[in-house]
Amino acid sequence: MTAPLLILYGTDGCHLCDTMEDFLKAHEIAFHYVDIASNDALTEEFGWVIPVLKYGDHCLTAPHNYDTLLDQLNLKG
């Protein structure tokens, strides 16, 4: 069984989004980045709570606690 794809919703120029992207890369966590600026519906839904991580049916919105994030995503080994 394949784990659900992790999606990072963010936008250019968002330092919180950059921090989240760096965190995921540092932990070698595969993700797909979606820039919400290119989609009005996503901008309306997530514009005030980016970065947003979507994993399966779960959505984690900012602010993020990086000390517990891996546990929240069930990715800690």
Side-chain angles (χ1 to χ4, degrees), residues 15-64:
H15 73 281
L16 296 174
C17 301
D18 293 341
T19 300
M20 177 61 74
E21 190 170 356
D22 292 344
F23 176 85
L24 295 173
K25 288 178 180 177
H27 286 86
E28 298 180 355
I29 299 170
F31 65 95
H32 175 71
Y33 182 82
V34 175
D35 189 340
I36 66 168
S38 62
N39 182 304
D40 290 340
L42 290 176
T43 300
E44 185 173 327
E45 183 176 0
F46 297 133
W48 295 103
V49 293
I50 56 174
V52 174
L53 291 173
K54 185 171 183 182
Y55 188 70
D57 294 333
H58 304 285
C59 252
L60 301 174
T61 61
H64 296 285

